[in-house]
Amino acid sequence: MTGDMIAENAGWLVVVGLGPGPDRWITPAVSAVLDAATDIIGYGPYTARLPVQPGRTVHASDNRVEIERARHALELAGAGRRVAVVSGGDPGVFAMAAAVFEAIEHGPAAWRALDIRVEPGVTAMLAAAARVGAPLGHDFAAISLSDNLKPWDIILKRLRLAAEADLVIALYNPVSRARPDKLREAFAVLGAIRAGDTPVIMARAVGRPDERIALTTLGEAAEVEADMATVVIIGSSETRLIAREGVPFVYTPRSYGAGR
C-alpha cells in the first residue's frame, strides 16, 4: 500500500481508529480501509459498531488479548487477506497500534515485510475537550489508570510528576470492577499538589446517546460517578473558566502566565 492507495490484490494490515462514538467522527481514510477490508479484527464492542458487509469476516475478541489479536491479524495479512484492526478513538493512544508493532518486533521476520499502516482517529480526550472549550490548549499529559500492564506505583509517580510540572492531565481507563477505588486515590495524589478549585471535566461516552459531561473541581471530583467509558481532564493552575449562561467554557491559555 503506497500513500493513500488501498491495494486490492495483495494482503495488507491497517490499524484504524473509529473515534469515540458517532460515525461522523470516523475519517474518510478509515472508511476507505473498512470498505476494502476482507477481515475486521478487534474488541467485540468496537467491531459491533460496524455494519454487516457481505464478503467480510469479523473476528471479535475480549479486551485483554491485544497481542493475540495482533498476531492473528498479522497471520491473516501474511496469507493475503486485507485486514483492518479496529480500535475505539485513536489506535495509537492506549490501543491496538502498539500491540501490532510489539507483535511484529517479537514475531517472524516475514511480518516486517508486510504492507502495514496506521490510520488515526479522534481520541476520547480530544472529543471531551471540544465539548467544553479548549482545556488542552497548553501542554498536557495523557495517563491511563489501568494497572493491567504497568505497576500502580509507576502510575502514581507519573501523576505526581505531571502535577508538579503543572500539566493538564487527561486520565483514561479511570475505573473498572477490578479497581473501583483507584480514581479516588489518583485524585488524592493530585489534590496534595494542586488547588481544590482546579477545574475537572468528567466526560462519559462522548458523542454517543448516553453522553454525560460533568464540570466539577478537584476537591469534589471523587463524588462524581465514572466508569471505563469516562475520560477525565484535570486542569493546570492556568486553566480558566469563562462564565456564561449554562455550563462555562473551559480553556487553558497557550501562553503560560497569561491567565493570571
Side-chain angles (χ1 to χ4, degrees):
M1 191 162 20
T2 303
D4 292 328
M5 298 302 293
I6 302 294
E8 294 291 344
N9 57 357
W12 45 254
L13 186 157
V14 185
V15 194
V16 302
L18 301 180
D23 289 348
R24 69 181 183 277
W25 287 346
I26 298 177
T27 70
V30 168
S31 293
V33 170
L34 295 172
D35 288 343
T38 59
D39 295 79
I40 304 290
I41 290 183
Y43 177 39
Y46 299 149
T47 61
R49 289 172 52 186
L50 302 176
V52 175
Q53 183 170 304
R56 186 167 73 186
T57 303
V58 176
H59 310 265
S61 54
D62 187 69
N63 66 338
R64 292 198 179 191
V65 293
E66 288 89 352
I67 296 298
E68 293 87 344
R69 187 185 300 145
R71 290 177 182 141
H72 185 203
L74 289 159
E75 289 168 355
L76 288 172
R81 306 289 288 179
R82 301 189 301 272
V83 183
V85 179
V86 300
S87 290
D90 180 275
V93 179
F94 307 123
M96 280 303 299
V100 167
F101 290 112
E102 183 177 347
I104 292 170
E105 181 181 9
H106 299 290
W111 285 353
R112 303 186 181 204
L114 289 174
D115 198 353
I116 296 171
R117 179 177 171 190
V118 179
E119 286 290 352
V122 178
T123 189
M125 66 181 177
L126 301 182
R131 282 292 194 249
V132 298
L136 304 179
H138 196 72
D139 298 341
F140 63 88
I143 298 174
S144 171
L145 291 192
S146 173
D147 58 356
N148 288 335
L149 300 174
K150 62 180 181 289
W152 182 244
D153 288 348
I154 291 294
I155 296 172
L156 293 180
K157 179 180 180 180
R158 290 173 178 175
L159 287 171
R160 284 193 292 269
L161 292 174
E164 289 170 1
D166 203 19
L167 299 173
V168 174
I169 301 170
L171 299 180
Y172 281 71
N173 307 312
V175 175
S176 72
R177 284 176 292 183
R179 44 185 175 81
D181 299 320
K182 296 298 189 183
L183 181 58
R184 289 177 180 270
E185 187 175 347
F187 284 144
V189 167
L190 296 172
I193 300 169
R194 296 229 170 134
D197 62 354
T198 300
V200 174
I201 300 111
M202 309 277 282
R204 184 188 183 281
V206 180
R208 302 203 290 270
D210 54 342
E211 173 180 306
R212 184 176 68 245
I213 308 291
L215 176 60
T216 183
T217 63
L218 185 54
E220 298 180 352
E223 305 307 315
V224 179
E225 183 180 352
D227 59 19
M228 285 291 281
T230 305
V231 64
V232 181
I233 299 176
I234 300 107
S236 71
S237 67
E238 296 288 295
T239 302
R240 320 301 295 172
L241 302 183
I242 301 177
R244 59 172 183 148
E245 185 175 350
V247 180
F249 288 126
V250 185
Y251 85 106
T252 306
R254 293 182 64 192
S255 297
Y256 195 80
R260 297 179 181 178

